[in-house]
């Protein structure tokens, strides 16, 4: 079994006076976290999926090898199994599970002594907060006022300088969990493209726009030819 050196919170807040991860290293770590959650949320041999329910920087363990960082998910004490095809464990529960600062808003809603149970999309919200934490050097989008989560407010993302990641976070941190992106959508999001993939993506977008413009011009020519310009 591998022995991990520290957790993600310690790394980002530089608690061990280590080399600060570059943007490329941060992107690599975040992609590993996304891949781990994708594995949990995918159907396994027993056609069951796992919802972590307590994703936070302290539960992401960091391994240092050859001056490089890698990570793994940990602490599955609150995790639950749901059948493939279902997106939640049940509608409500009598108790709250998780960590307040990294919980999705629906899991904090208390109605008649009942809390809504977590779903895969609840993990997505927590993941969004982790990504925000990494990109901003240890900040939380609501700062110290976590009551905004309960008030149904969506976070301000101005502290995130990368516009592509900012767009992704906007889809992950929706108050309505049904509007949040899935982990499959996160995996293929341009935020995780390397330089070669970015170039390929730009070239494909260019070709799509070029083809679309050519079709538009052809359609305009066709409509123009149909006009009857003869004087009556």
């Amino acid at each position: 079994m591998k022995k991990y050196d520290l957790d993600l919170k310690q790394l980002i807040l530089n608690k061990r006076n280590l080399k600060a991860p570059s943007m490329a290293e941060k992107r690599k770590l975040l992609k590993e976290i996304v891949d781990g959650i994708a594995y949990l949320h995918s159907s396994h041999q027993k056609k069951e999926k796992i919802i972590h329910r307590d994703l936070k920087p302290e539960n992401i363990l960091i391994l240092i090898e050859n001056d490089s960082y890698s990570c793994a998910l940990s602490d599955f004490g609150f995790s639950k199994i749901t059948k493939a095809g279902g997106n939640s464990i049940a509608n409500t529960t009598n108790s709250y599970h998780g960590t307040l600062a990294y919980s999705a808003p629906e899991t904090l809603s208390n109605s008649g002594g009942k809390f809504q149970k977590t779903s895969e999309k609840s993990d997505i919200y927590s993941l969004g907060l982790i990504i925000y934490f990494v990109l901003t050097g240890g900040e939380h989008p609501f700062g110290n006022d976590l009551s905004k989560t309960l008030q149904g407010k969506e976070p301000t993302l101005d502290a995130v300088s990368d516009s592509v990641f900012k767009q992704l976070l906007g889809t992950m941190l929706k108050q309505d969990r049904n509007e949040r992106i899935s982990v499959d959508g996160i995996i293929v999001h341009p935020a995780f493209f390397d330089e070669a993939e970015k170039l390929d993506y730009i070239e494909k977008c260019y070709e799509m726009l070029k083809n679309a413009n050519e079709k538009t011009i052809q359609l305009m020519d066709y409509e123009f030819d149909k006009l009857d310009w003869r004087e009556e």
Side-chain angles (χ1 to χ4, degrees):
M1 181 179 292
K2 293 181 179 179
K3 181 180 179 181
Y4 289 85
D5 301 279
L6 68 166
D7 62 48
L8 184 63
K9 181 176 181 179
Q10 293 172 321
L11 176 64
I12 297 302
L13 297 181
N14 199 19
K15 295 292 187 180
R16 301 282 186 88
N17 296 316
L18 298 169
K19 177 197 70 172
S22 65
M23 184 59 193
E25 289 173 320
K26 289 179 179 180
R27 182 179 283 107
K28 174 181 174 292
L29 286 172
L30 292 174
K31 181 61 165 58
E32 290 178 2
I33 298 170
V34 172
D35 288 343
I37 294 171
Y39 179 79
L40 295 181
H41 289 184
S42 63
S43 300
H44 301 288
Q45 292 182 352
K46 294 183 178 180
K47 306 299 183 183
E48 297 172 334
K49 295 185 282 188
I50 300 171
I51 303 172
H52 190 283
R53 302 207 302 173
D54 195 21
L55 292 170
K56 57 184 177 180
E58 294 93 327
N59 285 342
I60 312 295
L61 301 182
I62 302 296
L63 178 67
I64 305 173
E65 289 183 318
N66 300 321
D67 203 33
S68 179
Y69 300 118
S70 60
C71 66
L73 303 179
S74 70
D75 195 349
F76 290 82
F78 287 146
S79 65
K80 289 292 183 180
I81 295 175
T82 181
K83 295 292 183 181
N87 59 10
S88 63
I89 304 161
N91 292 326
T92 59
T93 179
N94 292 318
S95 59
Y96 163 74
H97 298 284
T99 301
L100 177 61
Y102 288 89
S103 293
E106 65 271 9
T107 67
L108 302 174
S109 299
N110 186 334
S111 177
K114 296 284 186 180
F115 294 88
Q116 292 188 49
K117 282 200 171 183
T118 50
S119 70
E120 296 164 54
K121 293 298 184 72
S122 305
D123 275 356
I124 296 300
Y125 190 94
S126 301
L127 174 59
L129 295 176
I130 291 172
I131 293 175
Y132 186 98
F133 177 88
V134 171
L135 296 178
T136 59
E139 295 182 20
H140 191 285
F142 290 135
N144 295 322
D145 189 6
L146 300 181
S147 64
K148 291 182 179 178
T149 304
L150 291 170
Q151 294 168 8
K153 295 184 178 180
E154 294 190 2
T156 301
L157 303 175
D158 294 341
V160 179
S161 58
D162 188 300
S163 60
V164 184
F165 264 113
K166 183 182 292 187
Q167 189 279 331
L168 172 61
L169 287 172
T171 67
M172 298 177 71
L173 297 176
K174 295 287 188 182
Q175 287 292 310
D176 184 347
R177 64 180 172 188
N178 295 318
E179 295 180 3
R180 291 175 206 147
I181 191 172
S182 68
V183 70
D184 291 333
I186 298 171
I187 286 176
V188 298
H189 195 278
F192 294 103
F193 287 177
D194 59 28
E195 293 306 315
E197 290 172 323
K198 286 180 183 177
L199 180 59
D200 182 60
Y201 180 75
I202 292 171
E203 289 177 346
K204 287 180 179 177
C205 288
Y206 172 76
E207 288 299 323
M208 290 174 61
L209 290 172
K210 180 181 176 182
N211 293 335
N213 288 337
E214 288 176 351
K215 290 180 180 178
T216 301
I217 292 172
Q218 291 172 0
L219 179 62
M220 291 175 64
D221 287 343
Y222 173 74
E223 295 295 333
F224 185 82
D225 289 341
K226 288 197 307 182
L227 293 175
D228 189 351
W229 294 94
R230 293 174 298 177
E231 293 184 5
E232 295 183 358

